[in-house]
Amino acid sequence: MPTIVLSRIMCPVRAGVTILICSFTILTGWFLNISFHTSTYGSVAFSTAFGFVLLSICLINASKYKKLPHLSLSIKVIVALYCVVSLLQDYFYWKQGIDQFFYSGQSGILQNKHSLGGIPPITALLFIMVSIGMIGVTYIKKYVSIFQYFFHTVTFVCFIIIVGYLFKIPDLYTFYFKTVTSFYTSILFFFLSIGASLLSPSTGLTAVFTIHNTGNIIARRLFLQMVFAIVIITYLRFQVQQYNFISSDLSVGLMVIAFVITSMFFTLKASKRLNDAELRRNIAEERFKLVVESAPNALIMSDSSGRITLVNLRGENLFGYTREELIGQKIEVLIPKKFREHHPKNRDSYHGAPVSRYFGAGAELHAVNKDGVEFPVEIGLNPIKNGAETGVLASIIDITERRKQEIQIKQQLIELKVKNQEMEQFSYIASHDLQEPLRTVSNYITLLREDYPEQLDDEVRAHLAMMDSAVSRMSMLVRSLLDFGRLGRDKTLSMTDCNACLSNVIADLNNLIVQNGATVVIENSLPLLNVYEIEFRQLLQNLINNAIKFRKETVPPVIKIGCTPKDGTYEFYIADNGIGIDKKYSKRIFQIFQRLHRSDEFEGHGIGLANCKKIVEMHGGSIWVESKPGEGSTFKFTISKL
Ligand code: ADP
């Protein structure tokens, strides 16, 4: 479809409103006996003005409101019939009084007005053509272009009449009729016929003025400029001749020269515009080619019959053909044999409703290269308008590598699943089977103690006590390992108010805080975050617990907690005034079972910070410590804002 542009001036509604206002003014003139409807340029008959009122209303309605179609049709038919009868009456010298409906002596409504004429024959003819044209373009769509020429004929006749009046050439406006069409009537018809032709803006000569193509734009400018120039030059020549400034021969000669110069000027201007447009089109084409050639995807354009019209470099590489080999071939050459037969049907259905479509990885599409090797592809289709023809631009991505990776990932996932199952089995073994021998050893120690109290000397008792504590420690380590493995297994994300979470942790640790005379200061409000709540709570608890545990004996613990937003994350800190940590241990302490102190100094199993690291990493964050021995430690961790 060509782009149609109806400018503010070239719009049926505006033409209709202008005619309506003018014809109303003329009617008012008739009623009030003011003669602005009459002059040396002829007068507009009452019936003519009334006809204009009716047809202009029909024009506005047809263009904008489209209401009461039957009434509108009837009005046009009545106007046409009235004019036909008036014409016949005039032609055959009937005296049926049809054109005296408004003004005949006794019965008319304007009895006392003078100079009221009936519709002149040429006016009646023009009314008939406009009314039939308007009926035709609305109801007989098949022949719109024929009816469009009714309007063009009216415009042309009016143009001749207007020129006749402007240059005072009666032959141009009287024809062979006695009663002539007035200058004003011609102008109103001129606008009415143009307005009516704009009801079908892409048909007939109107298309030259409405379609927004470079050729049309230049043609309409050239036409209007030339018409304007011709009228001005002819008018000047007419004036010059009328007042006898120069001889008639000289005035004709000057007119010819003026015509040639103006036509040359406008033609040069038009050719410059055309050249500019061509240059712009060439630049756009070059850019298009550049974009197509440098595209990372294979681009293949085909016409509605499926013939390839364009291939880019990536297309050549992907399919192994040169573009000369592909252009003109059917697109089916790039489709595996087993799908070729059905493809023309798919192609036709696409052309039936051409919209942008993307066939992603799930569509399981395959293409075939020159060597007959098939490969998986993703395809995006885009309809491309080329005048009346709609082509298709296919953007093709070879997803062979991606498929390989997907298969690899699938395999890795299966392996991971197997490993997880093994881990779970190990956990089971650790919790049941490993605990069992430990329990047996522990039971035998108790048996030895109870059954042989006499035989056991102090040294053996001490050895048994050592064994007992080693077994308990081993059992504790196995349990810790299990807990570490299980951590986050049933994790669920939820929007959590970190302030509430922290308050609960502090409440749980209340005994420890009171026993140690510790002070916990929350330095700023913590955010609302999407976290694994149970694990997040455990994280806070471990860090606060350590901050109290690793205190200086002489100084009561003071723990400061806060959080600051940083690069899409929240950075939490838990700072204490405890014993501090040497920088060289700052990584080691986060490994499982790594401790810096003996159990008799500070009890523990070296699992707390390993758990903290695992929890923070579950949230996509990181954890670290900033500390100096004797100067307290600040543990910091980040949690994503998501
Ligand atoms: P545990 O507390 O059971 O020893 P953790 O994994 O929690 O195990 O801590 C590992 C080690 O890191 C601790 O043994 C301790 O030496 C050091 N540590 C942890 N927190 C602090 C702290 N707030 N101040 C000083 N040292 C700490």
Side-chain angles (χ1 to χ4, degrees):
M1 271 295 282
T3 319
I4 308 269
V5 178
L6 287 189
S7 68
R8 284 167 153 260
I9 303 165
M10 289 170 67
C11 150
V13 178
R14 279 172 192 258
V17 171
T18 313
I19 298 161
L20 190 64
I21 293 170
C22 293
S23 42
F24 251 122
T25 315
I26 293 165
L27 285 183
T28 319
W30 278 117
F31 279 114
L32 304 179
N33 211 11
I34 305 167
S35 58
F36 40 61
H37 50 281
T38 60
S39 77
T40 48
Y41 287 123
S43 66
V44 185
F46 185 89
S47 325
T48 307
F50 195 57
F52 277 121
V53 169
L54 294 177
L55 289 190
S56 57
I57 289 172
C58 289
L59 177 62
I60 296 166
N61 181 43
S63 167
K64 196 166 182 188
Y65 304 106
K66 300 183 174 64
K67 297 250 166 72
L68 303 171
H70 296 306
L71 179 67
S72 180
L73 174 66
S74 315
I75 291 175
K76 286 174 229 164
V77 171
I78 289 170
V79 171
L81 283 179
Y82 180 85
C83 292
V84 168
V85 174
S86 164
L87 205 60
L88 290 175
Q89 184 183 268
D90 206 73
Y91 193 75
F92 295 110
Y93 295 103
W94 286 348
K95 277 290 157 235
Q96 299 306 316
I98 180 76
D99 57 346
Q100 289 158 16
F101 179 74
F102 297 109
Y103 62 89
S104 82
Q106 303 307 313
S107 54
I109 49 172
L110 298 167
Q111 296 92 333
N112 303 320
K113 304 286 186 268
H114 298 292
S115 310
L116 280 163
I119 289 193
I122 188 80
T123 307
L125 212 60
L126 296 178
F127 265 132
I128 292 168
M129 291 191 80
V130 173
S131 326
I132 294 179
M134 283 173 81
I135 295 169
V137 294
T138 318
Y139 293 100
I140 314 172
K141 295 267 185 231
K142 211 170 148 194
Y143 298 110
V144 167
S145 51
I146 294 178
F147 292 108
Q148 194 75 332
Y149 277 93
F150 279 38
F151 302 132
H152 295 337
T153 311
V154 174
T155 315
F156 187 62
V157 169
C158 292
F159 176 70
I160 293 175
I161 297 173
I162 292 167
V163 171
Y165 275 111
L166 283 182
F167 294 104
K168 302 196 175 64
I169 313 166
D171 286 345
L172 289 183
Y173 57 85
T174 52
F175 300 93
Y176 63 92
F177 295 102
K178 292 179 270 42
T179 328
V180 295
T181 294
S182 78
F183 178 68
Y184 307 113
T185 308
S186 318
I187 289 186
L188 290 180
F189 266 122
F190 190 75
F191 284 112
L192 183 65
S193 55
I194 290 177
S197 79
L198 286 169
L199 290 173
S200 331
S202 60
T203 325
L205 292 177
T206 315
V208 178
F209 293 90
T210 53
I211 293 180
H212 200 64
N213 289 344
T214 317
N216 290 46
I217 295 170
I218 292 172
R220 67 173 163 262
R221 282 201 185 159
L222 195 61
F223 174 75
L224 292 174
Q225 286 165 346
M226 292 295 274
V227 166
F228 190 67
I230 289 169
V231 170
I232 297 281
I233 293 170
T234 318
Y235 182 77
L236 286 177
R237 191 244 155 183
F238 187 73
Q239 294 297 322
V240 164
Q241 201 182 346
Q242 208 179 25
Y243 295 104
N244 279 330
F245 288 143
I246 48 176
S247 73
S248 166
D249 290 351
L250 184 59
S251 74
V252 171
L254 286 177
M255 191 174 85
V256 170
I257 292 168
F259 275 149
V260 171
I261 292 173
T262 6
S263 349
M264 203 153 106
F265 174 73
F266 288 133
T267 315
L268 284 179
K269 236 176 104 182
S271 84
K272 188 179 175 311
R273 279 178 157 274
L274 271 174
N275 290 343
D276 288 351
E278 194 175 321
L279 190 73
R280 277 199 299 274
R281 206 187 52 223
N282 286 346
I283 292 172
E285 251 171 37
E286 272 310 306
R287 281 189 190 151
F288 174 73
K289 269 191 202 149
L290 220 78
V291 170
V292 167
E293 282 310 310
S294 58
N297 299 350
L299 294 178
I300 299 204
M301 196 144 90
S302 57
D303 61 19
S304 56
S305 69
R307 296 221 173 268
I308 297 172
T309 53
L310 178 144
V311 181
N312 72 346
L313 190 67
R314 180 81 189 105
E316 287 182 308
N317 294 340
L318 186 62
F319 291 100
Y321 293 95
T322 61
R323 63 190 71 191
E324 288 74 26
E325 285 174 316
L326 278 179
I327 288 173
Q329 293 253 33
K330 286 269 184 183
I331 193 86
E332 279 75 23
V333 73
L334 306 176
I335 291 167
K337 274 199 178 115
K338 52 183 178 270
F339 303 119
R340 265 181 212 171
E341 206 186 314
H342 295 287
H343 192 258
K345 228 194 262 168
N346 299 347
R347 192 158 33 81
D348 289 346
S349 84
Y350 180 80
H351 280 286
V355 282
S356 293
R357 271 191 221 166
Y358 188 71
F359 301 94
E364 291 294 335
L365 292 181
H366 284 81
V368 63
N369 67 14
K370 193 177 177 181
D371 301 330
V373 179
E374 292 183 19
F375 53 94
V377 286
E378 273 182 25
I379 299 183
L381 295 182
N382 284 290
I384 300 266
K385 284 257 172 210
N386 191 359
E389 159 94 16
T390 303
V392 183
L393 180 68
S395 163
I396 304 155
I397 307 172
D398 177 4
I399 55 167
T400 312
E401 274 311 306
R402 201 198 300 168
R403 274 286 150 81
K404 274 189 200 157
Q405 283 168 359
E406 277 170 11
I407 292 169
Q408 241 174 11
I409 290 171
K410 258 187 201 160
Q411 270 168 351
Q412 281 168 352
L413 270 177
I414 292 170
E415 279 169 25
L416 207 71
K417 227 176 175 180
V418 171
K419 285 261 150 41
N420 265 343
Q421 278 168 356
E422 282 172 8
M423 269 293 287
E424 267 171 31
Q425 212 148 354
F426 168 76
S427 304
Y428 182 80
I429 292 168
S431 60
H432 287 87
D433 302 11
L434 278 186
Q435 294 283 9
E436 192 50 43
L438 286 176
R439 258 197 300 276
T440 313
V441 175
S442 177
N443 287 345
Y444 273 101
I445 292 170
T446 317
L447 268 178
L448 282 175
R449 274 187 186 139
E450 285 172 6
D451 293 353
Y452 306 98
E454 316 290 277
Q455 284 100 318
L456 302 180
D457 60 22
D458 287 348
E459 201 182 342
V460 175
R461 275 178 199 282
H463 287 165
L464 283 178
M466 291 278 277
M467 275 171 72
D468 201 18
S469 110
V471 166
S472 315
R473 188 166 152 67
M474 173 98 176
S475 174
M476 183 67 211
L477 289 180
V478 167
R479 268 206 306 278
S480 304
L481 201 61
L482 264 176
D483 290 344
F484 182 74
R486 282 203 196 110
L487 191 69
R489 194 190 279 178
D490 305 315
K491 59 184 193 269
T492 41
L493 267 181
S494 61
M495 224 4 123
T496 307
D497 179 0
C498 298
N499 294 304
C501 197
L502 179 63
S503 304
N504 289 340
V505 170
I506 293 171
D508 288 351
L509 294 175
N510 190 42
N511 279 345
L512 190 71
I513 293 170
V514 173
Q515 276 165 20
N516 285 278
T519 314
V520 179
V521 184
I522 300 169
E523 296 205 316
N524 51 36
S525 174
L526 304 186
L528 193 71
L529 270 180
N530 209 14
V531 291
Y532 302 110
E533 193 179 349
I534 297 176
E535 287 77 9
F536 185 75
R537 206 183 136 114
Q538 191 180 337
L539 167 69
L540 293 178
Q541 187 160 334
N542 284 353
L543 292 175
I544 297 171
N545 196 42
N546 278 355
I548 298 170
K549 185 163 68 169
F550 297 103
R551 56 171 289 189
K552 281 184 201 155
E553 259 182 45
T554 48
V555 187
V558 177
I559 300 134
K560 293 176 181 165
I561 302 171
C563 170
T564 47
K566 215 170 227 183
D567 308 329
T569 64
Y570 279 107
E571 188 179 287
F572 289 77
Y573 62 86
I574 293 171
D576 62 50
N577 57 346
I579 58 170
I581 306 164
D582 196 323
K583 205 171 175 206
K584 64 182 174 198
Y585 300 121
S586 57
K587 287 249 163 8
R588 208 175 110 182
I589 52 171
F590 292 101
Q591 290 168 11
I592 192 162
F593 301 138
Q594 293 297 326
R595 314 198 64 230
L596 304 181
H597 305 94
R598 292 193 321 270
S599 301
D600 56 341
E601 291 174 305
F602 296 99
E603 66 169 45
H605 306 285
I607 192 89
L609 287 182
N611 276 341
C612 290
K613 186 167 185 280
K614 193 171 174 187
I615 294 168
V616 170
E617 284 171 358
M618 265 159 51
H619 289 87
S622 51
I623 184 166
W624 67 97
V625 65
E626 291 166 8
S627 175
K628 270 190 191 156
E631 289 184 20
S633 315
T634 303
F635 279 84
K636 292 186 176 176
F637 64 88
T638 54
I639 300 276
S640 155
K641 271 185 185 175
L642 289 176

